[in-house]
Amino acid sequence: MPIGGSSPLVRPGAPGRTSGEDTTRQASHRATGAGSRRAARSERLAPYVLVAPAVLIILGLRLYPLILGVNFSFTGDGDRNGTTVGFDNYLELFDDPLFRTALGNVGLLVLLLPVAVAIPGLLATFIYLRVPGHRVFRSVYFFPAVLSPVIVGSIFNLMLAFDGPLNTVLGTIGIGPVDWLGDPDVTMFTVVGVHVWATFGMALVVFLAGFSTLDSSLLDAAQMDGASLARTIWHVVIPSLSRTIAFVLVTTMIGMLTSMFGLLYVMTSGGPEGSTYLPEYYIWIQQGQMNRPALASAASTVLFLIMLVVGLAQVGLLRRAGRQD
Amino acid sequence: MKQRTLWSAVLVAGLTVAGCGSATRTAPSPAASGTSGTGKLVVWDWKSGDATAASYIEKAKADFAKKHPGVTVEFVAQPFDNYYTLLGTAIQSSTGPDVMLFNGGGQLRDRVDALLPLDEYVAEDRQRLAGWDAFSKDGKVYAAPVTLQGHPIYYNKDIYQKAGLDPAKPPATWDELMTACAAVKKAGKSCFALGNKEGFGIQFFLSGLGSGVLTPQEYDDWIAGKRDWTSPHVKQIFTLWKDVNDKGFNNAGANSTAMFNDSWAIFQSGKAANVIGLMSDIGHWKDFGEFLPPDQIGVMPAPVVTDGATPSLAYDGGIGYGVAKWTKDPKLAADLVRSLTSTDALTAFYAKAGAIASDTTIDASQSGPAAGAIVAAIKSGKPALHVALSSKTLDLMGRLSQKLLSGSVTVDKAMDQMAAADKAS
């Protein structure tokens, strides 16, 4: 970039001109010098001006509300509205068994993640290996992914009712009725199961896309060597698909942590006995039902920190998976 | 290095502002009230969209137009599921409706900071309307009642007859009730239709049966805020709650049955003999009357458990309209509230929507024996026990009630937790 006072724009004067001409040239040289300095400054500022809209949007619509929320979490509710209360809200949060249950459920979701990834992975493998009817399965498996959580929740509310169809079927084969949505030890798994049922179609499609890049000669070689299906999956399919698996892991995780609210709202309302609370639901209840916006801000801040840690771990995971080849 | 400086700057900035400001707007600035331009009032509720409430709104609007011809009134019907969340956001920013609908009790009391005391405006209506207590806090009225909401015990006369019981003489004591329940169970029906998925079942049980357990003195103390959670009678209510379920008198899976509307459906379809229902809006005499013959639906007073207890109907103001603090012309908004509780409007509401209206001058005895029995019991009625509790305490009570049914907490432990929560709020 031609920045600086040396002015290539100014032609050197022809020799033997009059001194009058010479002064004019000098004056014009001075003027062009100031102009080029202005040009230089505007060129220095240009990048800032150009990125300003993006930065202002991030500052104004992302960071400012975030800081505001964190700030509110240090103020009180009700009578203490507007006064600084230090870490009172956080102490109350971690003293609340309901919030601790919510955090525990986040941990449970993370533990259940491998199952949520294995199911679409396994089904995709079967479809890839062309089990009979694989075309039908491919579309049927994807179908629930287009339903909204509210509809899915309502369907399963009917199916899983205590006197509903599933318990009737279980009854006919001699298994006692299970209170799918009323037993605190069962309900969280029920809801996660329904969530996986409703969303695994997306992951399945990603897996199928991954399979299309799979080197079929490796599979043929394994078959020639007489490898069993389980060994083929373990030694050939999984290593070849590590990037796809990492990607599905990350997206499934995000899905589990951010989009369970609808299902919980429709299916359990956080119950029974508060066993299916998640931080999001807790925040909604405190802000909307209990009129505790400051406490809700504190819970949001905690959730934000958790998501930050999870997010960074995911970025690390994706980066590592990307490095492998 | 530069990045580290930037981060520490952000951190320092964050820490210096931490704890300033407030999560709820403190003083509403008049300029911020975006809706109340002269000559326009905005009303928020979840009723005005219902077809059954159309003539009520119509009548109220006409009444208001007579007094203030130049003022337009806009009704905004919000979805009830999100109503208090939306209202919370409006209150925080001090913008939003001038007049808003509330459920009586905790939902209103938690938000009186945003409401205008109406005492001076509604003085004339105090005698005509019933149910003011649920809309008052610290001696000030914040909303005018539209309907009365309470918890009568409905019973299915047909099932009583089939179980060999006298439908004209419902159980008057707890022992009689338990004998009746055993007979009903033997006849293959549930004695009570109970939906406790949301934790509401215990609220209805407490208020529906409480007057038969607590002595009048204890009852009045409870309402006045002097609640003794260690008293044997209070404890007994929760013991009975557990007993009824342990004896198998409730429908199976009560903790996963939604009160709205699965438990009503159980009663309506003739699968259960009793249900503690509502008086207005939903799950009441008119709703049940669409499925069961109206003359087969009876209402019984709470069975007597304790000697000296006098059973009374538990009821409060059900829903009522209040005025926002930030409204520009409080007198105008209060006049709209008065129109919304005028006798004409309320008569239309009672007739169309199936609600026991707050206006005591309306004659409701023509709507079948159940409605007649409820209206007759209003005079001697008392505020419902659960309405006196804060929403936080109610939330905890809902969860504890589920634990009591599943047996994962003892009544004593539950009472300890309730006492602590009630004291804190």
Side-chain angles (χ1 to χ4, degrees):
Chain A
M1 243 199 276
I3 298 177
S6 67
S7 57
L9 300 169
V10 185
R11 273 202 323 271
R17 292 279 172 94
T18 60
S19 63
E21 263 189 306
D22 202 45
T23 44
T24 328
R25 205 176 69 222
Q26 270 173 6
S28 93
H29 185 260
R30 258 201 310 278
T32 334
S36 75
R37 264 202 304 280
R38 236 193 340 265
R41 192 162 60 232
S42 69
E43 275 195 58
R44 235 187 359 259
L45 287 178
Y48 297 105
V49 173
L50 290 174
V51 297
V55 169
L56 286 179
I57 285 173
I58 290 176
L59 283 180
L61 298 179
R62 295 262 164 150
L63 285 179
Y64 176 65
L66 185 73
I67 292 170
L68 213 59
V70 173
N71 171 36
F72 284 160
S73 74
F74 291 102
T75 67
D77 280 312
D79 294 340
R80 297 202 292 167
N81 181 27
T83 54
T84 310
V85 298
F87 282 91
D88 277 13
N89 285 325
Y90 291 91
L91 292 177
E92 188 182 342
L93 264 189
F94 288 104
D95 200 36
D96 187 348
L98 213 50
F99 189 69
R100 290 204 300 265
T101 311
L103 290 185
N105 281 337
V106 171
L108 184 69
L109 289 183
V110 174
L111 289 181
L112 289 173
L113 192 60
V115 182
V117 174
I119 290 172
L122 214 58
L123 292 174
T125 311
F126 290 145
I127 289 175
Y128 178 71
L129 297 175
R130 292 172 201 283
V131 293
H134 62 275
R135 278 173 210 283
V136 180
F137 286 129
R138 194 164 50 188
S139 44
V140 167
Y141 286 156
F142 187 71
F143 177 64
V146 302
L147 294 176
S148 89
V150 175
I151 294 167
V152 172
S154 306
I155 293 172
F156 277 92
N157 265 348
L158 292 174
M159 297 281 293
L160 300 172
F162 194 80
D163 53 355
L166 183 61
N167 274 339
T168 314
V169 171
L170 287 179
T172 55
I173 57 170
I175 302 172
V178 178
D179 203 354
W180 298 105
L181 297 172
D183 185 336
D185 299 329
V186 174
T187 308
M188 194 65 204
F189 294 98
T190 310
V191 178
V192 172
V194 172
H195 178 76
V196 170
W197 178 87
T199 55
F200 83 91
M202 259 334 161
L204 188 93
V205 170
V206 176
F207 269 121
L208 285 176
F211 272 117
S212 66
T213 66
L214 197 64
D215 188 353
S216 62
S217 60
L218 284 174
L219 281 178
D220 292 340
Q223 212 166 17
M224 296 287 274
D225 291 344
S228 67
L229 178 66
R231 292 186 82 87
T232 312
I233 290 175
W234 186 250
H235 289 292
V236 179
V237 175
I238 291 183
S240 321
L241 286 183
S242 59
R243 282 172 74 183
T244 312
I245 293 172
F247 179 75
V248 172
L249 205 67
V250 169
T251 48
T252 310
M253 179 82 164
I254 294 172
M256 286 240 248
L257 289 180
T258 58
S259 52
M260 291 274 283
F261 182 87
L263 273 187
L264 287 178
Y265 182 79
V266 174
M267 290 181 68
T268 69
S269 317
E273 306 175 20
S275 63
T276 56
Y277 262 80
L278 281 181
E280 287 172 288
Y281 193 77
Y282 184 88
I283 293 163
W284 183 79
I285 287 282
Q286 292 300 339
Q287 149 69 15
Q289 309 299 110
M290 304 295 167
N291 204 17
R292 297 288 308 272
L295 187 66
S297 300
S300 305
T301 308
V302 173
L303 180 62
F304 169 71
L305 291 176
I306 292 173
M307 292 305 282
L308 198 67
V309 171
V310 172
L312 288 176
Q314 286 170 342
V315 169
L317 186 70
L318 277 183
R319 197 177 283 160
R320 225 180 61 190
R323 252 206 316 266
Q324 263 170 7
D325 19 31
Chain B
M1 181 62 207
K2 204 166 186 184
Q3 208 174 14
R4 196 181 300 162
T5 328
L6 185 70
W7 276 114
S8 23
V10 169
L11 198 68
V12 167
L15 283 177
T16 39
V17 296
C20 312
S22 63
T24 314
R25 187 76 60 94
T26 34
S29 56
S33 60
T35 52
S36 54
T38 40
K40 189 175 176 193
L41 288 173
V42 175
V43 185
W44 274 20
D45 60 24
W46 60 89
K47 279 280 166 204
S48 56
D50 294 359
T52 51
S55 62
Y56 162 65
I57 299 292
E58 202 76 10
K59 286 255 164 64
K61 267 185 170 171
D63 187 74
F64 185 71
K66 237 186 298 169
K67 292 184 216 155
H68 303 279
V71 181
T72 47
V73 181
E74 187 192 344
F75 280 84
V76 182
Q78 306 281 11
F80 180 65
D81 281 350
N82 287 326
Y83 183 75
Y84 288 106
T85 311
L86 294 168
L87 202 58
T89 318
I91 287 172
Q92 262 185 61
S93 58
S94 293
T95 56
D98 303 280
V99 173
M100 44 208 166
L101 189 62
F102 277 99
N103 290 98
Q107 294 292 16
L108 176 105
R109 291 199 186 104
D110 288 351
R111 294 173 177 82
V112 288
D113 288 349
L115 294 174
L116 195 74
L118 295 179
D119 297 81
E120 50 173 318
Y121 306 108
V122 296
E124 284 175 49
D125 298 332
R126 288 304 286 264
Q127 283 306 313
R128 184 171 55 90
L129 304 179
W132 291 96
D133 284 354
F135 299 106
S136 307
K137 190 182 182 183
D138 301 331
K140 281 189 190 141
V141 167
Y142 290 94
V146 172
T147 63
L148 299 181
Q149 189 59 286
H151 306 279
I153 308 167
Y154 295 96
Y155 68 102
N156 185 332
K157 293 182 178 175
D158 190 40
I159 295 182
Y160 268 60
Q161 192 133 37
K162 282 184 182 143
L165 303 160
D166 182 2
K169 262 186 67 189
T173 66
W174 189 259
D175 290 339
E176 282 174 37
L177 179 67
M178 289 298 102
T179 317
C181 277
V184 168
K185 194 185 172 190
K186 219 173 164 190
K189 308 276 185 188
S190 299
C191 189
F192 282 98
L194 175 65
N196 200 38
K197 183 175 183 172
E198 312 92 332
F200 295 156
I202 185 69
Q203 300 178 12
F204 284 47
F205 190 88
L206 175 66
S207 290
L209 298 170
S211 63
V213 186
L214 302 184
T215 64
Q217 184 59 45
E218 284 175 324
Y219 200 105
D220 295 342
D221 284 351
W222 174 292
I223 299 298
K226 287 177 275 179
R227 291 181 279 276
D228 180 7
W229 292 90
T230 56
S231 92
H233 290 158
V234 171
K235 207 179 126 184
Q236 191 168 15
I237 297 176
F238 290 84
T239 313
L240 294 176
W241 160 260
K242 188 172 162 50
D243 272 0
V244 170
N245 196 63
D246 288 352
K247 285 180 178 153
F249 291 160
N250 292 327
N251 48 282
N255 273 353
S256 57
T257 304
M259 170 170 273
F260 303 97
N261 295 315
D262 295 350
S263 72
W264 314 137
I266 292 172
F267 181 74
Q268 277 163 200
S269 59
K271 288 180 189 157
N274 302 287
V275 70
I276 303 172
L278 290 166
M279 279 158 53
S280 300
D281 300 329
I282 195 169
H284 56 52
W285 45 279
K286 189 159 178 161
D287 272 6
F288 299 151
E290 282 170 21
F291 294 86
L292 302 167
D295 58 331
Q296 290 298 313
I297 307 166
V299 169
M300 65 164 101
V304 177
V305 180
T306 314
D307 290 335
T310 44
S312 57
L313 176 70
Y315 80 90
D316 288 278
I319 54 173
Y321 284 99
V323 174
K325 218 171 204 171
W326 56 80
T327 188
K328 277 200 170 154
D329 186 349
K331 173 87 178 62
L332 191 68
D335 267 358
L336 178 58
V337 170
R338 293 200 60 200
S339 292
L340 283 161
T341 50
S342 64
T343 303
D344 262 7
L346 291 178
T347 308
F349 197 53
Y350 149 73
K352 284 274 158 55
I356 303 287
S358 59
D359 194 322
T360 50
T361 59
I362 298 175
D363 177 23
S365 58
Q366 303 307 313
S367 310
I374 294 169
V375 171
I378 281 180
K379 261 204 190 95
S380 63
K382 288 184 175 183
L385 294 174
H386 79 267
V387 177
L389 303 174
S390 72
S391 25
K392 195 181 170 182
T393 315
L394 288 175
D395 185 57
L396 176 69
M397 186 166 76
R399 268 177 282 128
L400 286 173
S401 73
Q402 294 172 334
K403 289 188 180 182
L404 284 170
L405 292 190
S406 72
S408 57
V409 76
T410 62
V411 176
D412 286 315
K413 288 240 169 69
M415 290 303 99
D416 288 348
Q417 290 189 41
M418 288 301 297
D422 194 22
K423 203 174 160 195
S425 51

